[in-house]
Amino acid sequence: MFPKGTKRKFSDSGEEPVSSGDQVPAAPSVATRSLTSSYSLQRQSLLDMSLIKLQLCHMLVEPNLCRSVLIANTVRQIQEEMTQDGTWQIMTQALAAAQCPTDRLVATEVLCRQTDAAAQAGQSPKPFSVGGLEEGYHAEEVVMEGDVETEVTMSTLAPVSPQLSSASYLAGPFVMGPCWDEDEEEEEEEEEEEDGECEEDEEDDSEDCVSEGEEADRDHLSPDSRTGEQVFGTFEIKHPAPPPDPALEELFSDVDPSYYDLDTVLTGMQSAPKMGPYDLLESLSSHGPTALSSSSSCRSDLNELDHIMEIIVGS
Amino acid sequence: VYTYITLRDHRARTWDSLRFVFLFPADIISTVEFNYSGELLATGDKGGRVVIFQHEQESKNRPHLRGEYNVYSTFQSHEPEFDYLKSLEIEEKINKIRWLPQQNAAHFLLSTNDKTIKLWKISERDKRAEGYNLKDEDGRLRDPFRITSLRVPVLMPMDLMVEASPRRIFANAHTYHINSISVNSDHETYLSADDLRINLWHLEITDRSFNIVDIKPANMEELTEVITAAECHPLQCNVFVYSSSKGTIRLCDTRAAALCDRQAKFFEEPEDPSSRSFFSEIISSISDVKFSHSGRYMMTRDYLSVKVWDLNMENRPVETYQVHEYLRSKLCSLYENDCIFDKFECCWNGSDSAIMTGSYNNFFRMFDRNTRRDITLEASRESSKPRATLKPRKVSTGGKRKKDEISVDSLDFNKKILHTAWHPKDNVIAVAATNNLYIFQDKIN
């Protein structure tokens, strides 16, 4: 009945707490809001649903910017209301207390896409930067090499304090990043729900990736984390290894110490908060304090990378 | 518009099913547009094809029947592309088609996908030169030494051939997805709008365009609003409007500044605080904006309603029509299945006395602005036998469902009518229902 194969019936049967009346009640006063548990349940499920949608939108070939913005605004609105209620802090504290090992927290760049100029084959995850937090989260490195099946390696630090860990990404100005940003691949990001974007595509070289942090994030946001886990499961980053292009390999065969860096930059992947050349161009002017520690070194490589890109693209 | 039979009105009209066309199952129609005379109807689909229908001449024997629409030309407008730099596929789906006013025997239209706009020339060829000296009729070269006399080639009639050729390609000007194109009344320029920017082009110049609106924030994290539609004023070539995802419309004057970031007029209806919900912003997002033919009014379509605005009054619309208010209590489900993000279009009739827009379950709605009557019709094979009269439909919202009514829960949300078009002069409408195109006319009793 529904385009996306939603299982839920289109009736307000009210069996599940989520759909207890499809109606989201008109905003009652703050006092009454916190009292109505069904309202807050609905609101919570709406929040979860929205975050899943934002996550899923990373899987699309080209996320619809309008849709992403509207969903993000909805999440922000919920967050603001919950902050007014005081339920936001309560929730984050509860989650912080009950959370799993902190190394599953993420405020990182999860590389789910390569902008590989030479890759005719399929979609690969999009570089996604969540970095820039002052708490000193490490960037997550996704190592993807030609023929090697890799896993997501999380080099996350424990956050400064358990309190901060959840509060920092949940509170504060709500930021939804590259979900809608095609040309700016690095964003200040405090919301890890965007991590581990997966991209499903119908082509042969499909790569699935998700970070374990994602599951944890789902846990953090909602006591009922099953939805998130069901959605994301446990994926590994697999590089299905398109047959290596001899020309390409030859091109890079003697670029060694930074072979890895060059490769990752060209393929849009970052180690530490570096950006791809074209992302850098776009965001140089627009970003304020970013996590770009190596931006200056990147800039100098730009011309060289430009040149190489031209060769690859054959323009 | 007179769309149902009332015995009281001797001039009552009924809507007929004139013809419907079945397109390939794989292709979903993504845009429908009549040309200025109404003689041609262009459709674009998800596969990047454009199919143009032509209105046949009415036969003299049966003047009460309008002519039929038949396929006039088919061509592949856009092909799928791959953006290597971003590793993204660029869809070939035709987002919009806009005709240019006809200036000679050929027809011109603009078609666009997410990234590239193309100007197509559609011309007829019904004559062919015969009697060449150097080659035979089948094209083989003749031996020059065998030629004993010269002749002048003669134009002979041939079967009509309609050719479409791309005359201009306007590319590389949009980072984001193009949602609108609109030909200016000067017939020399046109605008194209994506999520964050609007560009002004000259039809003759493809290597550059002017950026006239840019709402991209310096910091993308601050992005909360996008452009959803834009249109040039039908009479004043310096005026255009664009709508946003927050339910606002900005009218801009290109004489004021090169970059029209500051609007001349700002249209927004104050929100009704009693109906506020988490979905308020989403359902207020405007999916389409259309000027009336007179240029005095404009119409906007949001998720649940259509609003008519007087350009002289910015603080609220002059008319509001509820398209499917029964969905208001279902917004949560519609948000879940993404239907709440569906972008419905709307259109005026030629005299601006009626407006039309689509809904779900292959329903579409018409509103008569003068009589305030409205009707719901269905575009479906079962109810659309040729020459059969369309029966008005009704959705029951209460508990008790009358016969012939359909309950809200039975609506098929996969069958959505997003694209409709109204003939500029006659009461002929084109309705795109997924992969079927329906053309209805009214029949004067």
Side-chain angles (χ1 to χ4, degrees):
Chain A
M1 188 175 173
F2 300 119
K4 299 255 162 92
T6 318
K7 297 136 207 137
R8 198 160 297 167
K9 288 228 39 129
F10 197 63
S11 61
D12 40 2
S13 53
E15 281 158 16
E16 304 162 58
V18 171
S19 59
S20 58
D22 262 325
Q23 260 161 332
V24 179
S29 69
V30 175
T32 55
R33 269 207 298 259
S34 47
L35 292 177
T36 318
S37 64
S38 78
Y39 175 81
S40 57
L41 269 175
Q42 283 181 24
R43 184 175 61 184
Q44 183 66 54
S45 79
L46 186 62
L47 179 67
D48 293 344
M49 197 195 309
S50 306
L51 292 167
I52 291 175
K53 282 183 182 300
L54 284 171
Q55 296 250 356
L56 287 175
C57 84
H58 286 270
M59 299 184 187
L60 299 177
V61 175
E62 293 198 86
N64 183 329
L65 185 60
C66 180
R67 176 178 172 273
S68 307
V69 168
L70 289 173
I71 298 173
N73 290 350
T74 306
V75 176
R76 190 183 291 115
Q77 192 186 333
I78 296 175
Q79 187 205 8
E80 279 169 12
E81 191 180 285
M82 290 176 78
T83 308
Q84 281 175 14
D85 277 355
T87 52
W88 191 259
Q89 273 72 26
I90 296 172
M91 182 184 73
T92 58
Q93 284 167 14
L95 291 172
Q99 73 184 6
C100 311
T102 56
D103 62 358
R104 288 159 90 71
L105 283 181
V106 190
T108 66
E109 301 173 277
V110 175
L111 306 172
C112 276
R113 189 175 215 150
Q114 31 176 359
T115 54
D116 188 346
Q120 317 82 342
Q123 314 302 321
S124 9
K126 190 177 184 178
F128 190 101
S129 146
V130 184
L133 289 191
E134 300 83 331
E135 285 73 33
Y137 290 97
H138 264 235
E140 176 182 277
E141 294 186 17
V142 174
V143 179
M144 299 176 73
E145 292 190 64
D147 303 293
V148 176
E149 216 173 298
T150 62
E151 280 188 323
V152 177
T153 61
M154 309 252 314
S155 54
T156 52
L157 284 184
V160 176
S161 75
Q163 203 79 356
L164 269 178
S165 62
S166 44
S168 61
Y169 69 81
L170 288 173
F174 184 83
V175 168
M176 307 304 292
C179 181
W180 57 66
D181 188 15
E182 287 188 17
D183 60 337
E184 291 194 32
E185 314 256 47
E186 170 151 19
E187 299 288 346
E188 296 268 1
E189 183 59 61
E190 290 183 307
E191 175 54 56
E192 303 80 320
E193 297 316 306
E194 277 52 67
D195 300 342
E197 310 324 326
C198 280
E199 190 174 340
E200 312 243 346
D201 65 302
E202 311 82 59
E203 301 185 27
D204 299 334
D205 301 329
S206 63
E207 303 181 56
D208 303 322
C209 79
V210 117
S211 68
E212 296 102 49
E214 216 165 48
E215 304 169 49
D217 297 335
R218 298 246 52 94
D219 293 335
H220 296 146
L221 257 209
S222 156
D224 176 19
S225 62
R226 288 189 47 187
T227 337
E229 287 183 22
Q230 280 166 1
V231 170
F232 298 110
T234 52
F235 293 109
E236 288 178 351
I237 292 186
K238 294 181 196 146
H239 194 69
D245 185 351
L248 193 58
E249 292 214 323
E250 193 186 349
L251 195 61
F252 296 116
S253 58
D254 54 347
V255 181
D256 200 68
S258 53
Y259 171 89
Y260 170 73
D261 288 339
L262 183 62
D263 187 55
T264 54
V265 172
L266 282 178
T267 56
M269 296 172 11
Q270 330 291 346
S271 61
K274 221 191 275 185
M275 293 197 298
Y278 296 85
D279 312 328
L280 194 57
L281 277 172
E282 260 292 335
S283 56
L284 270 180
S285 54
S286 56
H287 273 291
T290 67
L292 275 182
S293 54
S294 49
S295 56
S296 50
S297 60
C298 271
R299 280 179 222 183
S300 59
D301 292 334
L302 272 181
N303 289 337
E304 186 185 333
L305 291 170
D306 252 341
H307 177 63
I308 293 173
M309 287 298 264
E310 278 182 34
I311 297 171
I312 294 170
V313 175
S315 60
Chain B
V1 161
Y2 329 95
T3 52
Y4 51 91
I5 301 171
T6 61
L7 296 174
R8 298 182 298 264
D9 184 355
H10 68 281
R11 284 181 305 116
R13 295 174 181 186
T14 56
W15 283 95
D16 261 356
S17 166
L18 169 65
R19 186 181 184 90
F20 56 82
V21 177
F22 181 69
L23 294 181
F24 291 164
D27 286 334
I28 297 171
I29 304 171
S30 51
T31 184
V32 185
E33 184 83 356
F34 281 98
N35 73 340
Y36 281 76
S37 65
E39 181 209 355
L40 298 178
L41 173 67
T43 61
D45 65 28
K46 205 156 165 279
R49 279 193 324 165
V50 171
V51 181
I52 302 177
F53 300 87
Q54 184 187 37
H55 192 197
E56 279 179 10
Q57 295 292 348
E58 295 150 19
S59 70
K60 294 188 176 51
N61 312 339
R62 306 159 84 188
H64 61 284
L65 288 178
R66 299 178 206 279
E68 296 196 338
Y69 279 83
N70 293 311
V71 177
Y72 178 67
S73 172
T74 304
F75 57 92
Q76 187 75 30
S77 172
H78 287 71
E79 299 274 1
E81 289 172 40
F82 193 78
D83 183 340
Y84 291 97
L85 295 180
K86 295 173 193 166
S87 193
L88 288 174
E89 217 175 76
I90 300 173
E91 275 192 307
E92 67 273 31
K93 172 168 76 89
I94 308 293
N95 291 338
K96 283 289 185 317
I97 290 175
R98 289 288 182 264
W99 290 91
L100 266 56
Q102 190 175 8
Q103 289 167 335
N104 51 36
H107 298 276
F108 288 86
L109 60 79
L110 289 169
S111 72
T112 185
N113 67 349
D114 283 338
K115 298 286 186 183
T116 304
I117 306 142
K118 295 188 183 179
L119 175 68
W120 287 88
K121 175 180 177 184
I122 297 103
S123 48
E124 293 183 3
R125 185 195 293 245
D126 61 355
K127 293 182 184 50
R128 160 182 83 209
E130 284 179 5
Y132 284 101
N133 290 293
L134 293 178
K135 62 181 181 185
D136 286 339
E137 296 312 322
D138 49 5
R140 278 180 314 173
L141 292 174
R142 294 169 79 189
D143 184 356
F145 296 109
R146 294 281 186 84
I147 299 171
T148 55
S149 62
L150 290 178
R151 54 187 176 174
V152 176
V154 181
L155 287 176
M156 301 294 290
M158 59 179 257
D159 289 339
L160 178 65
M161 202 165 69
V162 181
E163 300 170 325
S165 58
R167 306 305 275 180
R168 305 273 187 277
I169 297 183
F170 306 90
N172 301 323
H174 286 281
T175 307
Y176 302 96
H177 292 180
I178 298 174
N179 53 55
S180 311
I181 49 175
S182 181
V183 181
N184 210 341
S185 55
D186 61 10
H187 301 165
E188 285 186 354
T189 59
Y190 73 96
L191 64 75
S192 60
D194 65 29
D195 294 317
L196 297 179
R197 298 192 179 100
I198 301 181
N199 294 331
L200 184 68
W201 301 82
H202 192 282
L203 285 165
E204 298 292 328
I205 300 170
T206 59
D207 61 353
R208 57 182 182 275
S209 67
F210 288 105
N211 175 243
I212 53 176
V213 173
D214 188 341
I215 65 167
K216 182 178 177 186
N219 189 351
M220 275 298 272
E221 300 157 3
E222 293 162 6
L223 179 66
T224 57
E225 191 174 9
V226 301
I227 297 170
T228 52
E231 195 178 47
C232 291
H233 192 278
L235 303 171
Q236 296 171 30
C237 59
N238 55 294
V239 173
F240 68 95
V241 292
Y242 67 95
S243 59
S244 83
S245 56
K246 286 199 172 174
T248 66
I249 309 102
R250 289 169 174 82
L251 184 143
C252 299
D253 188 331
T254 52
R255 297 172 302 187
L259 188 62
C260 301
D261 272 353
R262 294 180 56 187
Q263 64 271 6
K265 292 192 191 225
F266 182 76
F267 298 84
E268 185 178 28
E269 184 173 23
E271 187 182 14
D272 175 13
S274 67
S275 64
R276 173 139 189 87
S277 75
F278 287 118
F279 305 112
S280 294
E281 184 183 315
I282 299 178
I283 63 170
S284 75
S285 172
I286 292 172
S287 52
D288 195 17
V289 62
K290 291 267 172 45
F291 279 105
S292 64
H293 292 90
S294 63
R296 165 96 190 267
Y297 300 95
M298 69 177 175
M299 164 168 58
T300 59
R301 175 69 156 99
D302 51 72
Y303 189 64
L304 296 180
S305 67
V306 181
K307 295 177 181 168
V308 175
W309 302 77
D310 185 325
L311 292 186
N312 299 317
M313 186 162 72
E314 300 169 53
N315 58 356
R316 61 179 175 79
V318 290
E319 295 155 31
T320 301
Y321 301 94
Q322 301 301 334
V323 181
H324 36 219
E325 182 69 11
Y326 45 80
L327 295 183
R328 191 180 288 273
S329 58
K330 308 288 183 188
L331 291 180
C332 197
S333 299
L334 294 166
Y335 179 72
E336 185 173 1
N337 63 21
D338 268 8
C339 282
I340 207 173
F341 301 107
D342 287 336
K343 292 194 189 305
F344 292 94
E345 293 173 8
C346 53
C347 58
W348 299 85
N349 73 341
S351 59
D352 296 338
S353 64
I355 59 183
M356 171 169 65
T357 188
S359 179
Y360 294 103
N361 209 71
N362 280 348
F363 288 168
F364 58 99
R365 304 263 283 140
M366 287 179 179
F367 303 93
D368 185 326
R369 295 179 63 211
N370 299 326
T371 64
R372 294 305 175 118
R373 291 203 300 221
D374 65 89
I375 190 168
T376 306
L377 298 171
E378 182 179 359
S380 75
R381 302 293 200 85
E382 293 76 31
S383 58
S384 302
K385 305 285 179 293
R387 311 298 172 201
T389 300
L390 290 182
K391 202 176 54 172
R393 304 304 308 263
K394 190 144 165 48
V395 177
S396 74
T397 51
K400 207 162 151 57
R401 185 173 73 88
K402 300 197 185 80
K403 178 174 169 302
D404 279 352
E405 284 186 359
I406 183 168
S407 75
V408 180
D409 299 327
S410 311
L411 295 174
D412 188 344
F413 288 81
N414 284 323
K415 295 184 182 165
K416 47 192 92 175
I417 292 184
L418 304 173
H419 312 287
T420 58
W422 208 312
H423 191 287
K425 298 183 175 59
D426 298 333
N427 275 339
V428 177
I429 58 174
V431 175
T434 317
N435 59 346
N436 288 293
L437 178 72
Y438 293 84
I439 302 178
F440 301 107
Q441 68 172 17
D442 75 336
K443 179 174 70 177
I444 302 168
N445 281 341

